[in-house]
Amino acid sequence: MTTVEKAPPVSQREVGLLRRPRATTGFASWLTTVDHKKIGILYVCTALVFFVLGGVEALLIRLQLFGPNGTVLTAGQYNQMFTMHGTTMVFLVGMPIAIGLGNYFVPLQIGARDVAFPRINMFGYWVVLLGGIFMYSSFFLGGAPDGGWFGYTPLTSAPLDSGFLPGRGPDFWTMGLILLGVGSTTSAINFIVTCINMRCPGMSLLRMPVFTWMMLVIAFLTLFAIPPVTVALTMVFFDRNFGTLFFDPAAGGDPLLYQHLFWIFGHPEVYILILPGMGIVSETLPVFSRKPLFGYAIVVFSGIAIGFLGWGVWAHHMFVTGLGPVAISAFGLATMLIAIPTGVKIFNWLGTVWGGSVRLTTSMLFSLGFIAMFTIGGLSGVMHSVVPADTQQTDTYFVVAHFHYVLFGGLILALFAGFYYWYPKVFGRMLDERMGKLNFWTMFIGFNLTFAPMHFLGLWGQPRRTYRYDEGLGWETLNQLVTVGSFIIAFSVLVFIVNAVVSKSRGQVAGDDPWDGRTLEWSISSPPPEYNFAEVPEVHSRDDFWHRKYTEDDEGRLVPLPSGGAEAHAAAGHDGHGIHLPSPSYFPLVTALGLPILGYAAVFQNVWIALLGAVVLLYGIYAWAIEPAD
Amino acid sequence: MAIIEQTDLTPAPPSPPEPGHDHGGHGGPGPSAALTNPKLAMWLFLASDCLFFGAFISAYLLYRGREQDGPTPRELFDIPFTSATSFILLMSSLGMVLALAAIQRGDHRRFRLWIMATALFGATFVAGQIFEFTEFSRKGLSLDTNLFGSSFFVLTGFHGAHVCMGILWLLSLWGMSTQGRLGPEKAESVEIAGLYWHFVDVVWIVIFTVIYLMPQPGT
Amino acid sequence: MTKRSWRRRVLLPVVGILSLAVLVAGCGPDNSQNSLQPAGEEARKIDDLFMFVVVIAAFIGVFVVAGTVYAAIRFRARPGRDDRPKQTHGNTVLEVGWTLLPAVILAVVAVPTISLIFDLNEPKKPDAVEIIAVGKQWWWQFEYPAQDGEPRVITANELHVPVGREVFMKLRACDPSLPGECNVIHSFWVPELNGKRDVMPGRQNTLSFTAEKEGVYFGQCAEYCGLSHANMRFRVIVQSEDEYADWLASQREGPAVTLAEAGEAGNLFAAKYACTNCHTTEDSSLSVYGPNLTHLASRSVFASGYYKLTKANLVDWILNAPSMIPMESKECRLGLGVPGVTCVGMPSYVNDTPPGQPTMTRSEAVDIADYLLSLK
Ligand code: HEA
Ligand code: HEA
Ligand code: CUA
Ligand SMILES: [Cu+2]
């Protein structure tokens, strides 16, 4: 049986006040683990909880807008709802799920035993969880953020007593996002170092699976996108609390500076959200079509191109702010350009499916749904880039339709494709396919019912971020349809949750390679052993695992190889004895705990809390520094 | 933050890995790395930090000459004084280089000498900055006086905070050396601290040029 | 299954749904706020360009969606079908092709886009009507500048403009008449006349539109600006040149009834309840904190168009404005203990009146309303 040498003598030493944790199962192990797979699970589960929270906020929004003059929420509550909905979905759902899946599968796909910095990895997770809790605690501490998910100044930056926004919301918002930024930056660094330094022998960059590639690209985007927004948020916080005048127009401050800083972050951010999704379907489509990805290199390069171009288009969120015709023409053109690399991907995915042997599993349905729905969202994006048209569309439900088609129809559908695809690997059991089909079709129908009518509502004049609308504007029917659709989505999410919970203990046992997979994660057992690979693999080609199973005849048709596959490989390996793994640690948690405490101190301007936070933080760092890394 | 970076990577297992029993997670048999994990991580962090300062510097540049009331830069700056403290900060980078060279030779006495000198130079710079801040506020400039006050104090303040973190880091290296916990295999952690320190220095050169040396608007 | 039946089963419904959608979009409700029913030169040009892009996008969309559905069904694994497909790794010609084709399509879209951007940005025509709009929380003030020795006119919520002539809006968040008073960002938008343009504090943006038809068009603040952003609406009244000139002339006149002439009501308005702290009824050229009421009775709505200007509405408003915008005002009454959250801006004269301030009776409110409604 597998035994893992866990604790070399040196790490049994006590550090500071805390005994070195050693549990590898049970509750404590989840607090102290440094195993990238456990951290990945934590990320995804946490993000799913936030998804339900953000979803419930969305449902409240929809109930309020079911008819004219809704009375479910007050104006102030409504503003909190859409702000928290957007903020949650972007920062606490989209990013953490991608980071979670990346955490779990990037090391497996590149044949590594762990990420480069296991403890920093855990630290990043805690910061995200605590940052989310910090932001949500504002509901009980004087009002949740209510300045919108991009928090335009001077609405958000005016001091509390200006009366522009009631409550402490923007303080929690700025501090919370700065915290989450710390978390994302650390995981970005971790991903980059892992992808660059930890690949197994033979895993050249152009053999990396596309999902891993996209995680690498978004890690770079994150690394460079977070600082500008951190600076913008810092300025807002200082304006509100320390009397600086960065965005005070009466003192000469310029609200456009904020918008530039925010969107220099904000646009790359939306590609941070979508690229992992594109990575996922680049994994699932070949597997379920039994064909290699059509044009691997160009799919990878277009992903990189999207990453680069994403830096040059931010002002398309500012077409009506009065930048002048030359600037907006340039930004409009640059924005259109992004359709080219994206289109390349779409067509290459179709080329992958074309002529394949397509298995319409739930995961495949979600992937195909992604292609179709994302394209619709992309096309409305191109309509936005047609600047004169955007002057009608911006800040209306047309934009809301656009970004839900790319975010839900793109990101969320792709993530569900990923869930159904990888669940067997993570838990060793299949998700139920019948519930899966129900999940897909209700989600697909509900999604279109929810977001398609929004295109028309926007063009017919309904502005976004409005807690009520007048009777007689002709928006009633479609808004009702939208609300009904949103509840169908909620039902489908419920189906998924039930499926995930039930299948974990009762699902059909998966085996190592249930889908006839192509990448290294399918070459090991499900769930994978703690050390991932008994023997560090050596790869000889792209989709190396596939080529251990199949070869091609002269006409390019598949020919199975007699030996090969997971079993054969595992038998050749050894039992994992003697593989040294990094030991768990409390200090990522302790260190991360210091940050929200400092956040509260900043929001409430309390020196004592600040002192407490600083002590916790410094203790965490100190103990971490002297604790042996393994 | 930086300390965290540095500790996870301690590449040294207590005993050399047996053949076939490779070291989990760390320095696995990957494509031979041009940069070790910790060093690469530090470079990435610094790249990110560049943009952090870049954004603040852009804000400062945008708001130059927009102050409506209160003292203006020209009435406040004491260029010779700030040049002197800037020079001291620059010199500290030299100390850092010497400290690194010493630890790589295994010369702990010299190492402690130079690392302490570096920290002290840094502290002198911070002291100069505190003096400058009090002087400015005595002359009526604070965060909420005008846009110059806001953008000046926040930009230089964040830089000062970076220097302070660096000083703490250097001092803890000094402490580790006195306790004999800084073996030769940890020379790299000094190198990484050095990367950070030089970066903070270089950033100051940019800030100093932008704030003090570029001709003030209207001159 | 034959090719033909596929076309019927997949392509037809998709095309059907899409053309239906375009049809629905083309009509839309006749709600005076529908960007697809342009009534101004600029909005029409935008709509034409938009429709051009929609058609192109619809083709691409149908192509990709239908292609996906078709591929999924046509190539699905079936018992008896070979599950060892040919392994194609790529095709350079195809890939270059579908890189270039979108580029060409985009070029076709880009040319009219850029040309319309510059077209819409033409400098002000010499005969244009110039109007200053000031975004406040949460209502619009409109200022017709002084002209030919005549004083300027300040009004609120209803923008009168002549038909067929360019209207040149100067958009401000910092009220030039009240130094140091800056508001947040708002956005000026009348969908049937032109696209929107943000009102940026510390800057002046401009926007021109040329109405083609007389009538009333709805405008709406389109940039989130706080609690009552949803209610920050206004209307544009497009009139013939003559009607417009008459209207402007009548606005320039002094008040129909002066405060002194109003007697007791004037006293209630000016002295007892100090309405004059924020409003004026004496001079239509004054920009004050609240809406200028000198010619209130010439308007058809008040409170950013939330209420029709009737006596009953006005009385209720005067008595207890904060309770008059239901879901917004709940927030204000709860108040969250935060000073300065003014919501509708008006205090309540019956509930929670501050100490030392008199409580208003309904008959007093009726008096005030009568007086205000006499201000033609
Ligand atoms: C996952 C997130 C995501 C993605 C991928 C995109 C992708 C794109 N977005 Fe979107 N966008 C958002 C999320 C996203 N967006 C969000 C959240 C907002 C609103 C923020 C807010 O205000 O709250 C927004 C807002 C937004 C605006 C500002 C609207 C406004 O406020 O006025 C614009 C303007 O140009 C825009 C454009 C685009 C374009 C051109 C793309 C392109 O990348 C799309 C490219 C894809 C295709 C075009 C389809 C596939 C291509 C083909 C099949 C080839 C053939 C096609 C052609 C020849 C056209 N987006
Ligand atoms: C990944 C991003 C993402 C996702 C997935 C969603 C998902 C949804 N969004 Fe999203 N939305 C944004 C990102 C996202 N949104 C952003 C960025 C904004 C802009 C915010 C701003 O303006 O600042 C926005 C704004 C926004 C608005 C505009 C508000 C306004 O402008 O006034 C609306 C309105 O309908 C809306 C609706 C929805 C709905 C119905 C869903 C649904 O798809 C949600 C479905 C999920 C669930 C429903 C959860 C499942 C729940 C359960 C299983 C529990 C069951 C419980 C019950 C049934 C009670 N969203
Ligand atoms: Cu004013 Cu929204
Ligand atoms: Cu964008």
Side-chain angles (χ1 to χ4, degrees):
Chain A
M1 227 2 271
T2 303
T3 49
V4 177
E5 183 197 318
K6 274 269 52 154
V10 59
S11 57
Q12 283 167 13
R13 224 173 41 208
E14 271 178 43
V15 175
L17 307 173
L18 297 169
R19 193 179 294 277
R20 187 84 195 230
R22 281 194 280 136
T24 52
T25 54
F27 180 68
S29 77
W30 290 97
L31 293 182
T32 58
T33 183
V34 291
D35 177 355
H36 70 96
K37 297 183 289 302
K38 279 193 164 178
I39 297 175
I41 295 174
L42 283 174
Y43 263 117
V44 173
C45 292
T46 305
L48 282 176
V49 171
F50 281 118
F51 181 55
V52 171
L53 283 176
V56 169
E57 283 151 6
L59 295 180
L60 286 170
I61 290 175
R62 287 321 315 166
L63 286 176
Q64 168 77 3
L65 297 181
F66 184 75
N69 301 312
T71 52
V72 176
L73 301 169
T74 66
Q77 288 165 339
Y78 183 88
N79 296 345
Q80 297 178 4
M81 284 309 132
F82 72 70
T83 304
M84 286 305 280
H85 166 70
T87 306
T88 303
M89 289 298 190
V90 170
F91 295 99
L92 296 171
V93 178
M95 293 176 86
I97 293 193
I99 294 177
L101 290 178
N103 240 302
Y104 203 105
F105 291 103
V106 165
L108 296 183
Q109 289 195 326
I110 60 172
R113 293 236 168 94
D114 206 331
V115 292
F117 304 106
R119 287 188 294 176
I120 292 183
N121 199 14
M122 193 51 175
F123 171 78
Y125 166 73
W126 288 121
V127 173
V128 169
L129 173 66
L130 294 170
I133 293 175
F134 173 81
M135 229 188 283
Y136 268 85
S137 71
S138 62
F139 275 107
F140 312 101
L141 295 172
D146 52 357
W149 89 274
F150 42 75
Y152 273 1
T153 60
L155 185 65
T156 46
S157 66
L160 192 51
D161 57 18
S162 71
F164 282 163
L165 285 177
R168 285 234 162 261
D171 296 324
F172 276 100
W173 184 74
T174 44
M175 272 298 140
L177 288 192
I178 291 174
L179 281 186
L180 295 176
V182 171
S184 330
T185 305
T186 54
S187 34
I189 293 177
N190 203 352
F191 274 122
I192 298 174
V193 177
T194 305
C195 288
I196 291 184
N197 276 357
M198 314 277 292
R199 281 168 286 131
C200 67
M203 179 64 75
S204 65
L205 282 177
L206 277 180
R207 286 182 187 160
M208 282 203 313
V210 180
F211 174 69
T212 296
W213 250 114
M214 293 304 111
M215 289 306 295
L216 178 59
V217 173
I218 71 154
F220 275 105
L221 292 183
T222 310
L223 196 65
F224 297 124
I226 298 286
V229 76
T230 305
V231 167
L233 295 167
T234 307
M235 289 175 171
V236 171
F237 192 85
F238 272 56
D239 268 16
R240 283 178 64 86
N241 295 287
F242 304 127
T244 54
L245 305 166
F246 289 111
F247 305 121
D248 181 353
D254 193 345
L256 273 184
L257 171 64
Y258 177 86
Q259 299 193 7
H260 283 298
L261 288 175
F262 186 90
W263 290 117
I264 286 174
F265 150 81
H267 190 82
E269 169 71 20
V270 307
Y271 293 123
I272 292 174
L273 293 171
I274 199 62
L275 289 175
M278 295 180 162
I280 291 171
V281 300
S282 303
E283 301 293 310
T284 54
L285 290 169
V287 165
F288 294 113
S289 307
R290 298 175 66 75
K291 271 182 70 208
L293 184 64
F294 196 86
Y296 167 92
I298 199 168
V299 172
V300 168
F301 284 126
S302 57
I304 299 173
I306 292 173
F308 269 104
L309 288 174
W311 290 99
V313 303
W314 74 88
H316 67 208
H317 298 274
M318 302 160 66
F319 281 152
V320 299
T321 55
L323 294 178
V326 178
I328 58 176
S329 301
F331 278 103
L333 283 182
T335 304
M336 288 179 190
L337 284 185
I338 297 195
I340 298 172
T342 318
V344 166
K345 292 194 150 204
I346 299 272
F347 296 129
N348 275 302
W349 289 323
L350 285 179
T352 306
V353 181
W354 203 267
S357 171
V358 177
R359 283 173 290 163
L360 290 176
T361 60
T362 307
S363 176
M364 186 61 170
L365 288 175
F366 275 109
S367 310
L368 294 166
F370 165 91
I371 298 182
M373 296 302 105
F374 176 78
T375 299
I376 297 179
L379 291 170
S380 58
V382 172
M383 294 177 195
H384 283 311
S385 71
V386 176
V387 183
D390 185 62
T391 64
Q392 290 286 15
Q393 296 154 4
T394 187
D395 277 315
T396 68
Y397 268 83
F398 193 89
V399 182
V400 180
H402 158 63
F403 66 71
H404 283 94
Y405 262 84
V406 280
L407 281 169
F408 198 109
L411 172 70
I412 299 288
L413 292 188
L415 289 175
F416 274 78
F419 293 158
Y420 278 87
Y421 178 60
W422 276 320
Y423 186 95
K425 179 52 55 186
V426 175
F427 295 109
R429 286 170 187 273
M430 313 289 286
L431 279 171
D432 184 76
E433 278 287 312
R434 291 224 334 262
M435 268 203 262
K437 299 272 160 62
L438 179 65
N439 182 185
F440 170 75
W441 286 111
T442 46
M443 185 170 279
F444 188 78
I445 292 167
F447 161 75
N448 280 295
L449 216 52
T450 308
F451 299 112
M454 288 184 182
H455 292 108
F456 302 113
L457 287 171
L459 296 170
W460 296 348
Q462 187 176 0
R464 67 193 282 203
R465 297 176 163 181
T466 45
Y467 75 97
R468 58 169 284 280
Y469 49 92
D470 277 349
E471 250 168 291
L473 289 165
W475 303 334
E476 291 88 347
T477 321
L478 288 192
N479 268 299
Q480 285 166 8
L481 218 60
V482 169
T483 303
V484 171
S486 68
F487 277 85
I488 299 179
I489 301 180
F491 170 77
S492 80
V493 174
L494 224 51
V495 170
F496 172 76
I497 293 174
V498 171
N499 194 353
V501 171
V502 171
S503 299
K504 187 163 180 304
S505 50
R506 298 225 210 107
Q508 184 194 336
V509 174
D512 295 351
D513 184 17
W515 308 122
D516 204 1
R518 316 177 67 88
T519 39
L520 285 178
E521 73 264 34
W522 304 106
S523 71
I524 54 178
S525 67
S526 312
E530 210 183 343
Y531 46 82
N532 296 351
F533 299 94
E535 195 135 31
V536 171
E538 189 173 336
V539 301
H540 307 283
S541 62
R542 208 175 285 152
D543 290 342
D544 188 69
F545 180 55
W546 180 259
H547 293 293
R548 289 187 214 154
K549 298 187 288 188
Y550 296 100
T551 182
E552 291 167 27
D553 65 15
D554 295 342
E555 289 167 35
R557 292 203 175 268
L558 268 188
V559 180
L561 287 173
S563 71
E567 262 63 39
H569 178 68
H574 60 72
D575 60 2
H577 178 80
I579 295 176
H580 177 79
L581 291 175
S583 309
S585 168
Y586 285 115
F587 301 113
L589 172 56
V590 175
T591 311
L593 210 54
L595 293 177
I597 300 181
L598 285 173
Y600 285 115
V603 170
F604 294 108
Q605 316 249 325
N606 184 313
V607 185
W608 298 110
I609 307 181
L611 224 60
L612 175 69
V615 167
V616 174
L617 184 70
L618 287 176
Y619 168 72
I621 295 179
Y622 168 76
W624 183 334
I626 63 172
E627 182 182 63
D630 36 30
Chain B
M1 204 78 284
I3 296 189
I4 303 170
E5 247 46 276
Q6 157 233 336
T7 50
D8 236 306
L9 15 116
T10 8
S15 55
E18 305 156 45
H21 287 189
D22 17 58
H23 201 225
H26 300 257
S32 60
L35 282 172
T36 61
N37 289 357
K39 244 193 270 180
L40 179 55
M42 191 34 119
W43 277 110
L44 291 168
F45 168 73
L46 295 180
S48 180
D49 219 23
C50 260
L51 270 96
F52 179 82
F53 281 111
F56 270 126
I57 292 172
S58 315
Y60 181 87
L61 285 172
L62 178 71
Y63 287 156
R64 258 159 54 99
R66 283 218 202 160
E67 54 274 354
Q68 292 173 346
D69 37 33
T72 62
R74 253 186 295 168
E75 297 157 34
L76 293 169
F77 285 164
D78 180 353
I79 308 258
F81 175 80
T82 318
S83 305
T85 56
S86 306
F87 183 72
I88 291 174
L89 187 65
L90 269 186
M91 283 304 101
S92 75
S93 263
L94 191 64
M96 192 69 233
V97 171
L98 292 169
L100 178 62
I103 195 81
Q104 279 166 343
R105 287 192 314 268
D107 181 346
H108 275 259
R109 221 176 50 80
R110 283 282 165 75
F111 166 73
R112 286 202 285 273
L113 179 73
W114 285 120
I115 204 89
M116 189 48 104
T118 309
L120 282 179
F121 278 12
T124 314
F125 171 80
V126 173
Q129 197 174 40
I130 293 173
F131 172 76
E132 193 182 36
F133 280 15
T134 39
E135 198 62 9
F136 284 9
S137 86
R138 213 175 43 77
K139 291 183 181 153
L141 185 79
S142 59
L143 277 174
D144 54 6
T145 313
N146 54 28
L147 279 174
F148 167 62
S150 300
S151 50
F152 170 81
F153 281 120
V154 174
L155 170 56
T156 54
F158 270 104
H159 181 267
H162 272 70
V163 178
C164 291
M165 301 231 297
I167 294 174
L168 278 180
W169 192 356
L170 298 183
L171 290 180
S172 56
L173 287 175
W174 179 84
M176 283 167 80
S177 163
T178 57
Q179 292 177 13
R181 304 175 81 145
L182 202 65
E185 81 284 354
K186 292 223 177 168
E188 192 184 46
S189 64
V190 176
E191 202 181 336
I192 288 166
L195 283 179
Y196 175 81
W197 190 262
H198 297 316
F199 167 80
V200 172
D201 246 20
V202 171
V203 168
W204 179 253
I205 296 176
V206 176
I207 294 178
F208 181 67
T209 311
V210 166
I211 297 187
Y212 296 87
L213 300 185
M214 266 171 56
Q216 296 301 333
T219 38
Chain C
M1 205 162 287
T2 65
K3 266 208 171 123
R4 183 165 265 284
S5 71
W6 268 120
R7 217 171 286 156
R8 220 178 309 127
R9 284 182 61 173
V10 181
L11 240 61
L12 275 184
V14 175
V15 174
I17 290 170
L18 247 134
S19 37
L20 195 77
V22 172
L23 215 72
V24 177
C27 311
D30 198 0
N31 64 3
S32 302
Q33 192 167 325
N34 183 340
S35 75
L36 301 177
Q37 293 179 354
E41 198 183 308
E42 290 76 6
R44 185 172 305 285
K45 286 179 183 166
I46 293 174
D47 190 49
D48 290 345
L49 175 61
F50 175 65
M51 279 306 164
F52 171 66
V53 178
V54 166
V55 170
I56 294 179
F59 268 105
I60 301 173
V62 169
F63 178 75
V64 172
V65 174
T68 311
V69 175
Y70 176 79
I73 297 173
R74 163 86 168 70
F75 298 109
R76 76 186 187 283
R78 281 180 304 250
R81 192 169 167 264
D82 188 0
D83 75 337
R84 298 173 300 128
K86 190 156 175 273
Q87 303 289 293
T88 38
H89 296 265
N91 180 327
T92 313
V93 176
L94 267 181
E95 288 172 55
V96 169
W98 62 51
T99 311
L100 287 183
L101 188 67
V104 172
I105 298 176
L106 287 172
V108 171
V109 173
V111 172
T113 300
I114 307 280
S115 95
L116 188 55
I117 290 175
F118 283 89
D119 180 4
L120 293 177
N121 200 60
E122 292 269 281
K124 184 176 107 168
K125 293 209 183 97
D127 69 335
V129 185
E130 190 178 301
I131 303 171
I132 301 170
V134 186
K136 310 255 190 176
Q137 241 166 344
W138 293 273
W139 56 283
W140 294 92
Q141 173 173 300
F142 300 115
E143 172 180 340
Y144 295 75
Q147 212 179 19
D148 312 329
E150 300 272 7
R152 66 178 183 176
V153 166
I154 304 272
T155 180
N157 302 328
E158 284 181 341
L159 180 66
H160 289 249
V161 301
V163 70
R165 189 139 63 100
E166 181 180 291
V167 177
F168 186 80
M169 303 294 305
K170 291 182 168 173
L171 307 172
R172 293 196 172 140
C174 302
D175 188 342
S177 320
L178 302 168
E181 273 286 332
C182 272
N183 215 282
V184 300
I185 305 174
H186 304 275
S187 192
F188 181 91
W189 185 37
V190 192
E192 301 197 353
L193 298 178
N194 196 350
K196 54 187 83 62
R197 185 64 46 95
D198 283 355
V199 182
M200 298 298 290
R203 293 175 177 250
Q204 177 180 278
N205 279 338
T206 60
L207 178 80
S208 40
F209 59 84
T210 314
E212 292 171 333
K213 278 196 295 251
E214 288 176 36
V216 179
Y217 302 95
F218 287 138
Q220 166 99 41
C221 171
E223 184 66 75
Y224 173 59
C225 53
L227 274 184
S228 228
H229 161 61
N231 301 321
M232 191 168 165
R233 309 189 61 210
F234 60 102
R235 29 189 80 199
V236 181
I237 297 167
V238 180
Q239 297 168 302
S240 69
E241 284 285 351
D242 288 347
E243 281 170 338
Y244 168 71
D246 288 349
W247 174 83
L248 193 59
S250 73
Q251 294 291 310
R252 287 214 164 98
E253 283 164 12
V257 182
T258 64
L259 270 175
E261 289 161 2
E264 177 54 15
N267 184 40
L268 290 172
F269 188 82
K272 190 165 179 196
Y273 296 108
C275 307
T276 44
N277 280 357
C278 299
H279 298 285
T280 174
T281 47
E282 297 278 73
D283 185 347
S284 61
S285 73
L286 281 186
S287 174
V288 287
Y289 185 75
N292 186 314
L293 303 178
T294 309
H295 294 288
L296 175 69
S298 72
R299 304 175 199 157
S300 58
V301 294
F302 71 104
S304 290
Y306 200 111
Y307 286 107
K308 285 226 158 61
L309 188 66
T310 64
K311 185 165 162 190
N313 284 344
L314 198 56
V315 169
D316 288 342
W317 182 267
I318 292 168
L319 273 172
N320 194 356
S323 72
M324 289 290 281
I325 298 185
M327 296 318 286
E328 186 228 69
S329 55
K330 205 188 256 175
E331 208 69 33
C332 305
R333 274 205 306 279
L334 294 178
L336 293 165
V338 182
V341 178
T342 47
C343 294
V344 295
M346 292 260 294
S348 161
Y349 288 98
V350 289
N351 290 338
D352 328 316
T353 39
Q357 213 180 306
T359 304
M360 193 184 283
T361 63
R362 182 161 280 271
S363 72
E364 284 176 326
V366 170
D367 279 357
I368 298 176
D370 279 336
Y371 159 61
L372 291 176
L373 288 174
S374 68
L375 297 172
K376 275 285 177 207

